[in-house]
Amino acid sequence: MVKYKVGYFVGSLSSTSINRLLAEALVRLAPPELELIEIPIRDLPLYSQDYDADFPPVARKFKQSISEVDAVLFVTPEFNRSIPGGLKNAIDWASRPWGQNSFTRMPSAVIGTSPGAIGTAVAQQSLRGVLCFCNSPLMNTLEAYIQFKPGLITEGGQVTDDSTADFLRNYMNELHAFIVRVLTVLPRNA
Protein backbone atom coordinates (compact mmCIF):
# COMPACT_ATOMS: atom_id res chain seq x y z
CA MET A 1 0.00 0.00 0.00
CA VAL A 2 1.37 3.39 -1.03
CA LYS A 3 0.83 6.06 1.61
CA TYR A 4 0.52 9.76 0.84
CA LYS A 5 1.12 12.60 3.28
CA VAL A 6 -1.53 15.30 3.13
CA GLY A 7 -0.78 18.56 4.86
CA TYR A 8 -3.89 20.34 5.99
CA PHE A 9 -4.46 23.99 6.84
CA VAL A 10 -7.24 25.11 9.17
CA GLY A 11 -8.19 28.54 7.88
CA SER A 12 -9.50 29.81 11.21
CA LEU A 13 -7.10 30.88 13.94
CA SER A 14 -9.78 30.39 16.62
CA SER A 15 -9.18 27.68 19.22
CA THR A 16 -12.91 26.90 19.09
CA SER A 17 -13.14 26.75 15.29
CA ILE A 18 -15.82 24.49 13.85
CA ASN A 19 -13.48 24.02 10.89
CA ARG A 20 -10.89 22.56 13.26
CA LEU A 21 -13.57 20.07 14.32
CA LEU A 22 -14.19 19.29 10.66
CA ALA A 23 -10.45 18.76 10.11
CA GLU A 24 -10.36 16.33 13.06
CA ALA A 25 -13.29 14.44 11.54
CA LEU A 26 -11.52 14.25 8.16
CA VAL A 27 -8.42 12.82 9.83
CA ARG A 28 -10.59 10.10 11.40
CA LEU A 29 -12.46 9.36 8.16
CA ALA A 30 -9.48 9.31 5.81
CA PRO A 31 -8.59 6.02 4.13
CA PRO A 32 -5.46 4.29 5.48
CA GLU A 33 -3.51 5.38 2.39
CA LEU A 34 -3.66 9.01 3.56
CA GLU A 35 -1.70 10.36 6.49
CA LEU A 36 -2.98 13.81 7.46
CA ILE A 37 -0.62 16.28 9.12
CA GLU A 38 -1.64 19.76 10.21
CA ILE A 39 0.52 22.59 8.90
CA PRO A 40 -0.07 25.41 11.38
CA ILE A 41 -0.43 29.00 10.17
CA ARG A 42 -1.05 30.85 13.45
CA ASP A 43 2.51 32.09 14.11
CA LEU A 44 3.31 33.46 10.67
CA PRO A 45 3.92 37.21 10.65
CA LEU A 46 2.23 39.30 7.98
CA TYR A 47 3.94 38.62 4.67
CA SER A 48 6.01 41.39 3.11
CA GLN A 49 8.26 41.26 0.07
CA ASP A 50 10.95 42.67 2.36
CA TYR A 51 11.36 39.12 3.73
CA ASP A 52 12.05 37.51 0.35
CA ALA A 53 15.85 37.71 0.72
CA ASP A 54 15.76 36.12 4.19
CA PHE A 55 12.61 34.46 5.51
CA PRO A 56 12.20 34.39 9.30
CA PRO A 57 12.63 30.91 10.87
CA VAL A 58 8.87 30.36 11.33
CA ALA A 59 8.28 30.97 7.61
CA ARG A 60 11.18 28.73 6.58
CA LYS A 61 9.76 25.96 8.78
CA PHE A 62 6.32 26.54 7.26
CA LYS A 63 7.63 26.18 3.70
CA GLN A 64 9.65 23.11 4.73
CA SER A 65 6.48 21.51 6.14
CA ILE A 66 4.74 21.97 2.80
CA SER A 67 7.69 20.47 0.92
CA GLU A 68 7.41 17.32 3.06
CA VAL A 69 3.85 16.46 1.99
CA ASP A 70 2.40 15.04 -1.22
CA ALA A 71 -0.79 17.12 -1.26
CA VAL A 72 -2.60 19.83 0.68
CA LEU A 73 -6.12 20.16 2.04
CA PHE A 74 -7.62 23.52 2.97
CA VAL A 75 -10.31 23.38 5.69
CA THR A 76 -11.59 26.90 5.87
CA PRO A 77 -14.41 29.07 7.14
CA GLU A 78 -15.86 31.98 5.20
CA PHE A 79 -15.15 35.48 6.46
CA ASN A 80 -16.98 38.33 4.72
CA ARG A 81 -17.64 36.18 1.62
CA SER A 82 -13.96 35.26 1.23
CA ILE A 83 -11.14 33.37 2.90
CA PRO A 84 -9.78 34.44 6.30
CA GLY A 85 -6.85 36.86 6.25
CA GLY A 86 -4.63 34.43 8.16
CA LEU A 87 -5.08 31.77 5.49
CA LYS A 88 -4.39 34.21 2.64
CA ASN A 89 -1.28 35.35 4.51
CA ALA A 90 -0.09 31.72 4.75
CA ILE A 91 -0.64 31.21 1.03
CA ASP A 92 1.35 34.37 0.33
CA TRP A 93 4.25 33.05 2.42
CA ALA A 94 4.12 29.65 0.71
CA SER A 95 4.09 31.12 -2.79
CA ARG A 96 7.09 33.39 -2.26
CA PRO A 97 9.75 34.41 -3.09
CA TRP A 98 9.13 34.52 -6.84
CA GLY A 99 10.15 31.20 -8.41
CA GLN A 100 9.85 29.25 -5.13
CA ASN A 101 6.10 28.66 -5.02
CA SER A 102 5.46 25.71 -2.67
CA PHE A 103 2.11 24.94 -4.34
CA THR A 104 3.42 24.39 -7.88
CA ARG A 105 2.16 20.97 -9.04
CA MET A 106 0.89 20.25 -5.50
CA PRO A 107 -2.48 18.43 -5.55
CA SER A 108 -4.96 20.36 -3.44
CA ALA A 109 -8.53 20.21 -2.20
CA VAL A 110 -10.83 22.64 -0.42
CA ILE A 111 -13.58 22.01 2.11
CA GLY A 112 -15.23 24.02 4.86
CA THR A 113 -18.13 24.35 7.23
CA SER A 114 -20.31 27.20 8.38
CA PRO A 115 -23.65 27.55 10.19
CA GLY A 116 -25.03 29.14 7.01
CA ALA A 117 -27.06 27.14 4.50
CA ILE A 118 -24.48 27.52 1.70
CA GLY A 119 -21.61 26.49 3.96
CA THR A 120 -18.41 28.10 2.72
CA ALA A 121 -19.21 28.12 -0.99
CA VAL A 122 -18.14 31.70 -1.69
CA ALA A 123 -14.89 31.42 0.29
CA GLN A 124 -14.07 28.18 -1.49
CA GLN A 125 -14.57 29.82 -4.87
CA SER A 126 -12.24 32.62 -3.84
CA LEU A 127 -9.65 30.14 -2.58
CA ARG A 128 -9.85 28.10 -5.78
CA GLY A 129 -8.97 31.20 -7.78
CA VAL A 130 -5.89 31.80 -5.64
CA LEU A 131 -4.78 28.16 -5.87
CA CYS A 132 -5.22 28.12 -9.64
CA PHE A 133 -2.91 31.12 -9.87
CA CYS A 134 -0.45 29.21 -7.66
CA ASN A 135 -0.43 26.37 -10.23
CA SER A 136 -1.91 23.87 -7.78
CA PRO A 137 -4.03 21.13 -9.39
CA LEU A 138 -7.43 21.26 -7.66
CA MET A 139 -9.78 18.40 -6.87
CA ASN A 140 -13.02 19.33 -8.60
CA THR A 141 -14.75 15.94 -8.72
CA LEU A 142 -16.52 16.55 -5.41
CA GLU A 143 -17.20 19.90 -3.79
CA ALA A 144 -18.11 20.00 -0.12
CA TYR A 145 -20.03 22.77 1.61
CA ILE A 146 -20.99 21.53 5.06
CA GLN A 147 -23.71 23.31 7.03
CA PHE A 148 -22.61 23.02 10.64
CA LYS A 149 -25.17 22.42 13.36
CA PRO A 150 -24.37 22.10 17.06
CA GLY A 151 -23.40 18.53 17.89
CA LEU A 152 -22.67 17.54 14.26
CA ILE A 153 -19.01 16.84 15.12
CA THR A 154 -17.80 16.07 18.63
CA GLU A 155 -14.65 17.48 20.20
CA GLY A 156 -12.85 14.24 19.26
CA GLY A 157 -13.80 14.53 15.59
CA GLN A 158 -16.66 12.02 15.63
CA VAL A 159 -19.39 12.86 13.10
CA THR A 160 -22.77 12.20 14.70
CA ASP A 161 -24.88 12.23 11.52
CA ASP A 162 -24.44 9.05 9.45
CA SER A 163 -25.14 10.65 6.07
CA THR A 164 -22.62 13.44 6.76
CA ALA A 165 -20.03 10.89 7.91
CA ASP A 166 -20.60 8.87 4.72
CA PHE A 167 -20.28 12.01 2.59
CA LEU A 168 -17.03 13.05 4.29
CA ARG A 169 -15.60 9.52 4.07
CA ASN A 170 -16.39 9.53 0.34
CA TYR A 171 -14.78 12.99 0.04
CA MET A 172 -11.56 11.64 1.56
CA ASN A 173 -11.65 8.59 -0.73
CA GLU A 174 -12.06 10.93 -3.71
CA LEU A 175 -9.13 12.98 -2.42
CA HIS A 176 -6.99 9.86 -2.31
CA ALA A 177 -7.94 8.92 -5.89
CA PHE A 178 -7.26 12.49 -7.04
CA ILE A 179 -3.79 12.54 -5.45
CA VAL A 180 -2.90 9.24 -7.12
CA ARG A 181 -4.08 10.54 -10.53
CA VAL A 182 -2.22 13.83 -10.26
CA LEU A 183 1.04 12.41 -8.96
CA THR A 184 1.01 9.65 -11.58
CA VAL A 185 0.73 12.17 -14.41
CA LEU A 186 2.54 15.11 -12.81
CA PRO A 187 5.21 13.96 -10.33
CA ARG A 188 6.26 16.83 -8.06
CA ASN A 189 9.99 16.23 -8.34
CA ALA A 190 10.16 15.59 -12.08
Side-chain angles (χ1 to χ4, degrees), residues 92-114:
D92 291 344
W93 276 108
S95 66
R96 295 299 194 165
W98 180 256
Q100 297 177 35
N101 175 7
S102 299
F103 296 122
T104 298
R105 302 169 83 171
M106 172 77 70
S108 61
V110 179
I111 191 170
T113 189
S114 166

Side-chain angles (χ1 to χ4, degrees), residues 172-190:
M172 295 307 287
N173 287 330
E174 285 290 326
L175 177 58
H176 172 245
F178 173 73
I179 293 167
V180 170
R181 281 193 311 274
V182 170
L183 295 179
T184 298
V185 174
L186 197 64
R188 296 221 51 231
N189 297 321

Side-chain angles (χ1 to χ4, degrees), residues 132-187:
C132 283
F133 180 80
C134 289
N135 196 24
S136 178
L138 283 157
M139 182 174 86
N140 290 312
T141 55
L142 182 62
E143 294 184 353
Y145 314 110
I146 309 300
Q147 183 178 17
F148 189 87
K149 295 182 179 161
L152 178 65
I153 304 171
T154 68
E155 287 296 323
Q158 181 72 36
V159 180
T160 59
D161 177 77
D162 290 341
S163 65
T164 301
D166 290 343
F167 177 84
L168 294 174
R169 188 176 297 106
N170 183 54
Y171 180 88
M172 295 307 287
N173 287 330
E174 285 290 326
L175 177 58
H176 172 245
F178 173 73
I179 293 167
V180 170
R181 281 193 311 274
V182 170
L183 295 179
T184 298
V185 174
L186 197 64

